Amino acid sequence: MLYISLSSPTPRSYLPKPFSLSTNKLRFHVFSKNQFSGGGNYTSPEEPVVTPEGLRRELMPKHVAVIMDGNRRWARSQRLTPQAGYLAGAAALKLVMDLCRKWGIQVLTVFAFSTDNLLRPKIEVDPLLGIFGSKIKDEIAYMERENIRLSIMGDVSKLPQSLREVITHAENTTKNNSRLNLVIAINYSGRYDIVQACQSICQKVKDGEVESEEINEFMIDNELCMKLMGLPDPDLLIRTSGEVRVSNFFLWQLAYTELYFTETLWPDFGEDELLRALHVFQQRPRRYGV
């Protein structure tokens, strides 16, 4: 049985310190603390939020996470190349991103590449990374125009230097945008996210910043990528293509997230599917416990 004391002593380093990429031990890439950590309304006054018919504004999720699955199966069904499937998936992402922006969803996180994906043969991975980089470059102007911030989460050290430069440029260019935060998880592992949080806390214990008795779930939570970026945990997780698992994505952060699975392949996921997922979400009573 897990026992959690609500009267645990307040740890001396309860709040996360600014994250630096110059650490000796490899940790996930997070850009910076962002504007969503304090709550509030970040909608541009020029374009008011539109609430789709049948949905309630006050019940809209603040953070939607998506496992974009089914690109290659879609391509096979269309007798197209895998690359064509990923291009179609990129188009679906842009549509969903635009809908989230219009409907007032503050954060959209998508699982683009897991650490396992990047272990696939180089002949398969390199073209996908090329598509990823070219699409980011192509959409920077759009994100600037539509007030969308791009953030990347994951271990970018394994990515090609040219792609890392594109990521840095895109993040810097869009860092002051506030209508929607698009978070792309690339070379991300939910297990490693927890491991690196534990390693960070162990180092703080070693340095005398924290007593071992002070360690609790809140301290661990604050050392995970999500909180280091100042983001709320997902309210809704959507997975496409009929797979019913989370595949090492946000293992800690999904503790109280509503899960929605659909048979639709990701390139076919559009407005009707997103509306259906949001309707299901709003019909579920949110409970924090059994």
Side-chain angles (χ1 to χ4, degrees):
M1 177 182 293
L2 177 64
Y3 174 76
I4 301 173
S5 172
L6 297 180
S7 60
S8 300
T10 303
R12 290 193 290 272
S13 57
Y14 179 81
L15 295 177
K17 297 181 179 180
F19 177 67
S20 171
L21 290 178
S22 60
T23 52
N24 292 327
K25 291 185 177 180
L26 176 64
R27 294 189 65 186
F28 279 151
H29 167 84
V30 295
F31 184 67
S32 66
K33 203 85 167 165
N34 78 27
Q35 68 270 33
F36 293 101
S37 57
N41 184 0
Y42 303 99
T43 301
S44 169
E46 301 88 43
E47 186 178 359
V49 167
V50 175
T51 303
E53 184 177 354
L55 294 177
R56 294 170 58 184
R57 169 78 258 139
E58 70 275 14
L59 295 181
M60 290 291 280
K62 293 182 174 64
H63 185 172
V64 173
V66 181
I67 300 177
M68 306 180 295
D69 198 10
N71 293 309
R72 289 185 296 172
R73 273 173 280 171
W74 180 90
R76 285 197 298 269
S77 73
Q78 304 295 318
R79 297 185 178 180
L80 298 172
T81 65
Q83 288 82 359
Y86 286 104
L87 287 170
L93 173 57
K94 185 171 182 179
L95 172 61
V96 170
M97 177 171 57
D98 197 51
L99 292 171
C100 288
R101 178 189 64 82
K102 290 177 180 177
W103 296 346
I105 293 169
Q106 296 175 8
V107 186
L108 172 64
T109 299
V110 295
F111 200 11
F113 296 96
S114 69
T115 52
D116 295 325
N117 292 147
L118 290 186
L119 295 177
R120 291 175 178 174
K122 186 177 176 65
I123 193 172
E124 180 181 341
V125 171
D126 285 354
L128 300 185
L129 293 179
I131 291 172
F132 181 74
S134 65
K135 283 300 177 182
I136 289 179
K137 286 191 289 187
D138 290 346
E139 300 302 337
I140 289 177
Y142 163 79
M143 289 187 284
E144 272 289 271
R145 184 175 67 252
E146 301 298 342
N147 199 17
I148 297 171
R149 177 180 183 175
L150 175 68
S151 303
I152 301 296
M153 176 187 295
D155 177 11
V156 299
S157 69
K158 302 289 194 303
L159 304 180
Q161 176 63 30
S162 58
L163 179 53
R164 296 202 300 270
E165 291 172 358
V166 169
I167 288 171
T168 299
H169 172 65
E171 287 183 316
N172 279 316
T173 302
T174 64
K175 65 182 179 181
N176 294 319
N177 296 342
S178 58
R179 175 74 183 235
L180 170 71
N181 194 171
L182 172 66
V183 182
I184 300 179
I186 181 168
N187 199 19
Y188 173 84
S189 161
R191 287 179 173 177
Y192 184 71
D193 198 0
I194 296 171
V195 168
Q196 63 83 24
C198 294
Q199 289 174 336
S200 176
I201 294 171
C202 287
Q203 187 62 48
K204 290 180 179 180
V205 172
K206 183 178 179 180
D207 294 341
E209 299 178 28
V210 173
E211 297 293 335
S212 60
E213 295 80 7
E214 295 177 327
I215 299 172
N216 57 32
E217 66 176 277
F218 304 105
M219 186 181 294
I220 296 172
D221 190 51
N222 280 318
E223 292 291 340
L224 296 170
C225 285
M226 194 76 74
K227 290 303 188 293
L228 290 172
M229 297 175 75
L231 297 170
D233 289 342
D235 301 297
L236 170 65
L237 170 73
I238 299 169
R239 178 161 189 166
T240 58
S241 85
E243 302 293 345
V244 187
R245 58 179 183 272
V246 296
S247 296
N248 201 16
F249 185 46
F250 293 156
L251 299 181
W252 179 285
Q253 297 91 336
L254 295 178
Y256 297 108
T257 299
E258 298 296 327
L259 308 180
Y260 177 85
F261 301 99
T262 174
E263 297 284 340
T264 302
L265 302 177
W266 175 246
D268 290 328
F269 190 93
E271 182 172 353
D272 289 344
E273 279 287 344
L274 182 57
L275 281 171
R276 190 173 296 113
L278 293 173
H279 276 288
V280 170
F281 172 81
Q282 293 200 353
Q283 290 166 3
R284 293 178 183 175
R286 302 295 306 279
R287 296 190 181 95
Y288 299 92
V290 178

